[in-house]
C-alpha cells in the first residue's frame, strides 16, 4: 500500500490475491489492510493537508501536470496491468488511461479558477467576502469497472482544490490504483497527499467514515453500498458525492438514422462487456422499425470478437467474476421464462477456461416485468421492446428509481428537445452513445447519486464556502 509516501505492508502483515478474470489465475497479491491501516493513512493525509492546502493553486497545478505526464509516459504498462486484473480489451484500457489522465490535466488548470465573490453589503462600513476553501481530508472509494478513471475523476479535482486523499480501490483491481500512486510519487506529489489503502472494504470504509478528520467521502459503486455510506456519513455530517447504479434506456424513433442507432447501442451496451454504470440496460424501438432494427443489431453484435483483453482483435472481454456471471445468467433465464426471444448470444463461452465470457446477447419481445428491466444487469445483454408514442416511452423510461444516463436517437429537432427535457436523468445523449468527457458534469438523478464529477462542477464538491463579514 502507499501511505505517507512509503510502500508498506498491512499492519496485520496479511495479504490477499489479485485474480485475472479472464482465466481465474492469480496475478499478484496486495496487503489486506484494515482499520488500523486506514487510520494511519488519515493521519498522513491530515498532516499533509496542513502544507498542501497552503500551496498556491499554481504550485499544485505544476505537480498535477507532472502526474499527468508520468501517467502518459507509463500508459502502456498501466493499461496492461488494468487488462490483467479487470479483463477489458487493451484498446479500451488504453482509452481509459487517456481518459483518466485527462482529469489530471484539466484540473491542473481548473484549480487556478476557484474564484470567490464579493457581495454588496447592507451597511456602508461593512464588506461581504465569499471564500472557497478545500474541505479537508477526502476518502475516495472506487469500483473495479474503471480502475483508473474513477480514481483520477475524484482525486484530480480534490488535489487541485487543496485537499489530500485516502483512496480505497476495489478489491478486484488494486494494482492499477497502486500504479497511479507510483506515478504520483514519481511526479513529486508530496508524501501524504495521495494514500492508497487496499484490503477489507467494510473495515476500511467504517474507519474512514467514523473518523471526523475525513471531511468528504466520494464514492462510485453500487446503490446499496452508496446508501450504507450515506447513512454512516451522517454521524459526522461529512460532505458526500455518490455515483451509483443506473438503468439506462436507449430510445430509437422511427426517423432515427438506423445505422448510427445500431452503432450507438453496440458502443453503449457492449463496452466493458456491459459493465459500466451508464451502459444501456433497456432498448425501446418505435414499432414501425422494430424488426428492421433488431435484424441489424443482431447482425452487428454477432460480428463482435470475444476474447482475452491482451489480444489485439478482442472487442469483448470477460465479466469480472462468478457473481457477475450468475446475475447475467439469471437475467437471461428470467427474460426467456417471461416470453423473451434470444435473437443472438445468450450463453457463456466455455472454451475460455476459468473465465466468465458471455456472447453479446440480444433479447426481443422484452416486457417491463422482467428482472432485466428493473435491475442493473452489468453484462452484455440488450433487451429490446417496442413503443408507439413519445409520451408513452418517456413514462416507461422514467419508471425506475435510477436516473443516471439515457439515450435517444432521432433526426427530428422537436422530438430531440422534448425528450431531452422530459427524461429524468443526469446525462442525456441525443444521437450520442458516448457522452463522458472531462469538462462535462457526470452524475445522476434519484437513486443514481448525489453530486457531479467533471468540469467546474466537479471541483465544487471538494470546496467549502466561507462567508467573511468585514466591518471596517
Ligand atoms: P460493485 O457492485 O460494483 O462491486 P460495490 O459498491 O460493491 O460495487 O463496490 C464499490 C466499492 O465499494 C469497492 O471499492 C468496494 O470495495 C467498496 N465497498 C463495498 N462494501 C463496502 C463497505 N461496506 N464500506 C465501504 N466500502 C465498501
Amino acid at each position: 500500500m502507499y501511505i505517507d509516501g512509503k510502500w508498506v505492508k498491512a499492519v496485520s502483515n496479511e495479504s490477499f490475491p489479485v485474480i485475472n478474470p479472464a482465466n481465474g489465475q492469480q496475478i499478484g497479491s496486495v496487503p489486506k489492510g484494515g482499520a488500523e491501516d486506514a487510520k494511519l493513512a488519515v493521519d498522513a493525509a491530515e498532516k499533509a493537508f496542513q502544507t498542501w492546502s497552503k500551496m498556491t493553486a499554481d504550485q499544485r497545478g505544476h505537480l498535477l501536470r507532472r502526474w499527468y505526464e508520468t501517467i502518459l509516459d507509463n500508459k502502456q504498462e498501466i493499461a496492461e496491468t488494468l487488462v490483467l486484473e479487470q479483463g477489458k480489451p487493451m484498446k479500451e484500457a488504453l482509452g481509459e488511461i487517456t481518459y483518466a489522465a485527462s482529469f489530471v490535466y484539466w484540473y491542473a488548470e481548473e484549480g487556478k479558477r476557484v474564484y470567490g465573490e464579493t457581495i454588496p453589503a447592507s451597511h456602508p462600513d461593512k464588506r461581504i467576502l465569499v471564500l472557497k476553501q478545500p474541505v479537508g481530508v477526502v476518502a475516495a472509494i472506487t469500483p473495479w469497472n474503471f480502475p483508473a478513471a474513477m480514481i483520477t475523476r475524484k482525486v484530480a479535482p480534490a488535489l487541485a482544490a487543496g485537499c489530500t486523499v485516502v483512496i480505497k480501490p476495489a478489491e478486484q483491481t488494486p494494482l492499477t490504483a497502486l500504479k497511479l500512486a507510483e506515478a504520483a510519487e514519481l511526479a513529486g506529489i508530496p508524501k501524504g497527499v495521495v494514500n492508497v489503502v487496499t484490503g477489507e472494504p467494510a473495515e476500511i470504509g467504517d474507519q474512514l467514515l467514523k473518523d471526523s478528520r475525513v471531511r468528504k467521502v466520494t464514492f462510485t459503486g453500487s446503490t446499496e453500498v452508496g446508501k450504507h455510506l450515506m447513512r454512516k456519513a451522517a454521524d459526522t455530517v461529512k460532505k458526500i458525492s455518490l455515483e451509483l447504479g443506473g438503468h439506462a434506456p436507449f430510445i430509437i424513433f422511427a426517423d432515427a438514422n438506423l445505422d448510427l442507432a445500431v452503432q450507438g447501442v453496440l458502443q453503449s451496451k457492449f463496452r466493458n462487456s456491459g459493465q459500466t454504470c451508464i451502459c444501456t440496460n433497456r432498448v425501446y424501438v418505435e414499432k414501425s422499425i422494430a424488426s428492421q432494427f433488431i435484424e441489424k443489431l443482431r447482425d452487428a453484435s454477432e460480428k463482435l470478437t470475444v476474447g482475452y483483453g491482451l489480444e489485439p482483435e478482442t472487442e469483448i472481454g470477460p465479466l469480472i467474476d462468478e457473481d457477475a456471471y450468475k446475475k447475467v445468467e439469471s437475467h437471461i433465464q428470467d427474460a426467456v421464462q417471461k416470453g423473451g426471444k434470444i435473437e443472438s448470444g445468450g450463453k457463456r463461452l466455455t472454451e475460455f477456461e476459468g473465465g466468465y465470457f458471455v456472447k453479446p446477447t440480444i433479447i426481443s419481445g422484452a416486457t417491463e416485468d422482467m428482472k432485466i428491466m428493473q435491475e442493473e444487469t452489468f453484462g452484455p445483454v440488450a433487451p429490446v421492446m417496442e413503443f408507439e408514442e413519445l409520451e408513452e416511452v418517456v413514462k416507461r423510461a422514467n419508471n425506475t428509481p435510477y436516473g443516471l444516463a439515457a439515450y435517444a436517437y432521432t433526426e427530428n429537432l422537436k422530438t430531440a428537445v422534448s425528450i431531452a427535457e422530459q427524461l429524468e436523468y443526469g446525462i442525456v445523449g441525443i444521437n450520442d452513445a458516448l457522452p463522458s468527457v472531462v469538462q462535462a458534469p457526470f452524475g445522476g438523478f434519484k437513486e443514481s447519486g448525489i453530486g457531479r464529477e467533471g468540469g467546474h462542477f466537479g471541483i465544487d464538491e471538494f470546496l467549502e464556502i466561507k462567508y467573511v463579514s468585514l466591518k471596517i
Side-chain angles (χ1 to χ4, degrees):
M1 299 186 286
Y2 186 61
I3 298 177
D4 203 15
K6 292 191 234 13
W7 294 93
V8 295
K9 292 181 174 176
V11 173
S12 68
N13 209 17
E14 286 182 53
S15 58
F16 68 97
V18 182
I19 305 294
N20 181 345
N23 56 20
Q25 282 169 17
Q26 181 172 341
I27 51 170
S29 68
V30 294
K32 193 173 183 180
E36 280 183 86
D37 305 275
K39 188 178 167 299
L40 289 172
V42 177
D43 292 346
E46 167 72 6
K47 194 157 157 244
F49 180 74
Q50 307 311 324
T51 44
W52 182 253
S53 60
K54 292 188 182 74
M55 284 167 71
T56 66
D58 194 51
Q59 287 170 325
R60 288 194 294 261
H62 274 290
L63 288 166
L64 283 169
R65 183 71 85 95
R66 269 203 252 156
W67 188 24
Y68 160 77
E69 280 157 8
T70 314
I71 293 170
L72 288 190
D73 288 347
N74 295 284
K75 185 172 163 178
Q76 186 73 18
E77 190 192 321
I78 304 174
E80 278 171 20
T81 301
L82 201 163
V83 172
L84 287 175
E85 66 179 353
Q86 203 274 347
K88 69 176 65 178
M90 190 61 182
K91 236 185 324 186
E92 285 187 31
L94 287 167
E96 180 181 339
I97 304 303
T98 307
Y99 177 59
S102 76
F103 285 92
V104 185
Y105 183 80
W106 204 86
Y107 283 107
E109 288 302 311
E110 190 62 8
K112 299 172 198 167
R113 288 184 277 274
V114 174
Y115 301 139
E117 280 182 36
T118 59
I119 298 173
S122 311
H123 299 280
D125 58 348
K126 279 199 177 188
R127 301 292 180 270
I128 294 175
L129 313 179
V130 179
L131 313 182
K132 289 187 181 174
Q133 296 186 322
V135 66
V137 175
V138 173
I141 302 178
T142 56
W144 49 263
N145 62 345
F146 288 94
M150 293 307 101
I151 288 178
T152 56
R153 197 155 86 172
K154 295 168 167 35
V155 174
L159 263 48
C163 298
T164 54
V165 182
V166 177
I167 303 165
K168 207 300 284 168
E171 51 279 26
Q172 295 90 339
T173 57
L175 299 175
T176 305
L178 295 169
K179 287 268 173 213
L180 290 176
E182 208 179 330
E185 182 186 33
L186 280 172
I189 304 245
K191 66 177 187 172
V193 171
V194 173
N195 305 275
V196 181
V197 183
T198 54
E200 293 285 350
E203 203 184 312
I204 296 168
D206 284 355
Q207 179 63 34
L208 294 174
L209 266 294
K210 78 176 183 207
D211 194 323
S212 58
R213 296 172 299 170
V214 174
R215 295 309 316 144
K216 162 94 194 181
V217 179
T218 171
F219 170 78
T220 298
S222 61
T223 297
E224 186 194 344
V225 174
K227 286 180 182 176
H228 168 78
L229 298 178
M230 194 170 172
R231 285 186 199 105
K232 292 244 165 182
D235 288 339
T236 47
V237 194
K238 296 188 199 314
K239 268 168 99 78
I240 49 168
S241 297
L242 305 171
E243 298 290 351
L244 310 176
H247 205 279
F250 194 115
I251 302 163
I252 302 146
F253 290 91
D255 60 26
N257 177 325
L258 221 50
D259 292 327
L260 283 186
V262 167
Q263 197 195 348
V265 173
L266 292 185
Q267 287 169 330
S268 146
K269 177 69 256 182
F270 298 119
R271 191 162 64 100
N272 206 5
S273 292
Q275 302 173 113
T276 90
C277 46
I278 61 166
C279 269
T280 291
N281 248 271
R282 303 167 274 160
V283 182
Y284 294 99
V285 196
E286 197 164 339
K287 194 171 180 174
S288 59
I289 55 157
S291 53
Q292 195 190 352
F293 170 80
I294 289 167
E295 202 181 309
K296 276 181 185 265
L297 183 63
R298 184 183 55 216
D299 292 351
S301 71
E302 275 173 353
K303 290 199 188 97
L304 293 170
T305 309
V306 182
Y308 295 118
L310 290 178
E311 286 170 5
E313 68 277 12
T314 294
E315 292 166 299
I316 307 273
L319 294 172
I320 191 73
D321 54 24
E322 189 180 353
D323 284 349
Y325 171 68
K326 281 190 177 148
K327 187 168 192 194
V328 168
E329 191 189 28
S330 83
H331 280 198
I332 295 174
Q333 278 175 1
D334 174 77
V336 171
Q337 268 166 20
K338 290 180 178 149
K341 179 180 167 213
I342 295 186
E343 298 281 346
S344 61
K347 313 189 271 298
R348 179 174 168 199
L349 295 170
T350 46
E351 62 263 39
F352 299 96
E353 212 178 306
Y356 294 91
F357 291 76
V358 175
K359 254 187 96 137
T361 301
I362 313 289
I363 299 177
S364 63
T367 49
E368 305 284 350
D369 62 334
M370 293 174 177
K371 266 195 214 167
I372 200 166
M373 300 302 299
Q374 279 143 35
E375 297 169 23
E376 199 175 18
T377 309
F378 243 54
V381 187
V384 184
M385 274 164 308
E386 296 178 9
F387 74 92
E388 293 189 50
E389 296 200 348
L390 188 139
E391 298 307 324
E392 167 217 340
V393 78
V394 165
K395 216 184 229 170
R396 287 164 69 185
N398 285 340
N399 185 22
T400 163
Y402 294 114
L404 189 55
Y407 308 92
Y409 275 57
T410 174
E411 294 291 303
N412 181 307
L413 187 60
K414 210 167 164 179
T415 307
V417 172
S418 173
I419 197 144
E421 289 178 355
Q422 291 189 73
L423 287 167
E424 294 166 356
Y425 287 82
I427 302 161
V428 177
I430 300 290
N431 299 326
D432 183 15
L434 297 172
S436 304
V437 284
V438 62
Q439 68 271 40
F442 187 105
F445 285 17
K446 301 199 260 180
E447 292 188 23
S448 284
I450 291 178
R452 293 294 179 271
E453 293 185 330
H456 67 86
F457 310 92
I459 201 163
D460 284 342
E461 304 280 338
F462 299 97
L463 295 166
E464 278 287 16
I465 290 176
K466 183 181 282 175
Y467 156 41
V468 179
S469 180
L470 188 67
K471 191 149 185 229
I472 51 174

